[in-house]
Amino acid sequence: MVGQKIRNMEEFSAKCGVSRPTVSKYFNEPTSVRASTRQKIEAALEQYDFRPNLYAVNQNRRITKNIGIVVPYVADPFFSEVARKLERCCIEAGFSPSTFSSHGSPDHEVEILEILRSMRPAGVLMAPIGRVSHKNKLEAFCREIPTVLVDSNLEGIGATFIGSNNFQSVPLMVEYLCRTGEPPCFFEMPPVNPNANKRRAAYTQAMEELGHTPHVIRVDGNDWEFEEIGYKGGLKLLGKDDLPSRTILCSNDRLAIGLMAAAYELDIKVGIAPDCSLRIAGHDDHPFARYTCPSLTTISQDYEAITERSVDALVNLIEHGRATKQRQDTLYEGRLIMRSSA
């Protein structure tokens, strides 16, 4: 490489003696140009310091290879793992994924959608914030750009949803806890997304079907800081020592992790050993769940299947047309993970 910097596609096409449209066609798909032309371009790439702006190239394409991935908190190991799996599936399908985090802000979520519009993505895989999302703006985006929703299902939006079946997974855990000990009370996470309400309803239904009285415990908090909410709420709850049950089912693992920290601070031993006085279970099989002390009994969501199916559904939308008014939801069953906490 001689080190001469080429500023744009026009300069590069002049250097290699190939027309600007043909150069653009090569960068879109190298095999789409003749072998002799391809050799000229690749020889010039070796000689000159030039790399095209892929986003600019994509602006001139009818359909880009960009896929947007949007999650509420990419720093959360749960959503980080979801994003990683989605990225891998997109790459295997021949697309270029870009991941964004809305940081729990509905306004920032909308800003991300505007950024994605400017990128002209082939499609978007989105785990929306949920309850506080600007639903009308999400709906308009889904009508414009092929979008598949993951994890959080927003009713009324004409986008395919791929996720977990809470009305299968929660009763699975309730039945196990009732069968192996005292029927559980339900430690509820803040209703930040539709999963919160569905899991509470699934718990209530399962308890009633088994002939038990449901007990839902609500604590202060209205954001995504679930560990802190579980910890502070747990200190108050366990400190009163008036629990309706010594078995607690938390609506997600992050809440359970906070609750277990509160129990430790209050010198309450959690687990199934004879000297333990409290059982705690969660939902999601968070990446940290197996490393808590004791390790957390939980429900594992099938995110291998969910992410693969999400990308397959999006590719189908891209290839055969945009989202229709008819939703096509797919729900996967959860799996009981028995560990030491319950």
Side-chain angles (χ1 to χ4, degrees):
M1 183 180 293
V2 299
Q4 181 180 352
K5 183 69 175 178
I6 303 297
R7 293 176 298 177
N8 52 46
M9 198 87 78
E10 284 75 17
E11 287 188 9
F12 179 75
S13 65
K15 291 290 184 182
C16 65
V18 177
S19 70
R20 168 66 173 79
T22 302
V23 169
S24 179
K25 186 178 181 182
Y26 168 86
F27 284 119
N28 286 337
E29 178 52 63
T31 60
S32 65
V33 301
R34 288 183 298 179
S36 58
T37 304
R38 189 162 64 247
Q39 289 173 2
K40 285 185 179 180
I41 295 171
E42 290 172 353
L45 284 173
E46 291 182 3
Q47 183 178 1
Y48 299 103
D49 181 15
F50 175 70
R51 291 295 180 271
N53 182 333
L54 293 180
Y55 285 124
V57 170
N58 283 336
Q59 294 301 315
N60 296 319
R61 299 179 64 187
R62 186 175 62 86
I63 297 179
T64 75
K65 286 291 186 178
N66 299 328
I67 294 288
I69 298 173
V70 187
V71 296
Y73 279 101
V74 75
D76 178 351
F78 176 78
F79 284 111
S80 178
E81 183 66 7
V82 170
R84 185 187 71 81
K85 292 180 185 296
L86 288 172
E87 286 177 348
R88 185 202 68 206
C89 291
C90 287
I91 292 169
E92 290 176 353
F95 291 87
S96 300
S98 297
T99 300
F100 301 84
S101 173
S102 55
H103 301 291
S105 166
D107 291 335
H108 187 50
E109 188 174 61
V110 171
E111 290 174 6
I112 290 171
L113 299 185
E114 292 305 315
I115 293 171
L116 287 169
R117 278 192 175 96
S118 70
M119 291 171 57
R120 297 178 62 199
V124 172
L125 296 157
M126 184 174 193
I129 296 172
R131 184 176 59 86
V132 296
S133 291
H134 295 304
K135 189 174 177 180
N136 59 331
K137 295 184 178 180
L138 264 66
E139 186 174 7
F141 181 85
C142 292
R143 286 198 302 266
E144 180 182 342
I145 295 173
T147 302
V148 171
L149 302 182
V150 183
D151 182 68
S152 182
N153 190 359
L154 295 181
E155 302 292 343
I157 292 181
T160 293
F161 172 71
I162 314 292
S164 295
N165 184 354
N166 289 302
F167 283 89
Q168 174 271 336
S169 59
V170 174
L172 180 65
M173 178 63 80
V174 170
E175 189 279 332
Y176 165 75
L177 294 174
C178 290
R179 174 166 45 86
T180 57
E182 193 175 3
C185 53
F186 188 73
F187 197 45
E188 183 178 28
M189 68 178 176
V192 293
N193 67 26
N195 287 326
N197 294 332
K198 288 180 179 178
R199 290 177 188 177
R200 182 189 65 239
Y203 160 80
T204 299
Q205 178 179 303
M207 287 286 284
E208 290 175 346
E209 289 179 353
L210 292 171
H212 302 298
T213 301
H215 297 283
V216 177
I217 301 168
R218 298 178 177 88
V219 294
D220 295 332
N222 195 34
D223 56 27
W224 288 77
E225 301 297 328
F226 297 127
E227 293 88 355
E228 182 178 2
I229 292 169
Y231 170 71
K232 291 182 176 179
L235 288 177
K236 294 179 182 179
L237 175 68
L238 299 176
K240 294 178 181 179
D241 197 28
D242 60 352
L243 283 169
S245 170
R246 302 303 295 182
T247 298
I248 304 176
L249 171 57
C250 298
S251 56
N252 71 20
D253 287 348
R254 292 180 59 193
L255 199 68
I257 290 170
L259 179 60
M260 291 174 69
Y264 177 82
E265 187 164 317
L266 294 172
D267 200 26
I268 298 172
K269 194 165 184 181
V270 176
I272 55 177
D275 60 339
C276 296
S277 59
L278 187 67
R279 293 195 302 163
I280 295 177
H283 192 291
D284 292 340
D285 199 18
H286 188 282
F288 293 166
R290 70 180 62 192
Y291 304 115
T292 58
C293 188
S295 55
L296 183 62
T297 294
T298 185
I299 291 289
S300 174
Q301 300 191 55
D302 191 354
Y303 263 94
E304 285 292 337
I306 290 172
T307 52
E308 289 175 6
R309 179 71 184 96
S310 298
V311 174
D312 286 346
L314 184 61
V315 171
N316 184 64
L317 281 176
I318 293 167
E319 292 179 348
H320 298 101
R322 300 177 186 266
T324 64
K325 294 181 180 180
Q326 183 67 38
R327 289 178 60 100
Q328 298 176 348
D329 298 348
T330 302
L331 302 180
Y332 287 89
E333 294 189 349
R335 182 167 57 93
L336 177 65
I337 305 295
M338 294 178 286
R339 299 193 180 109
S340 302
S341 71

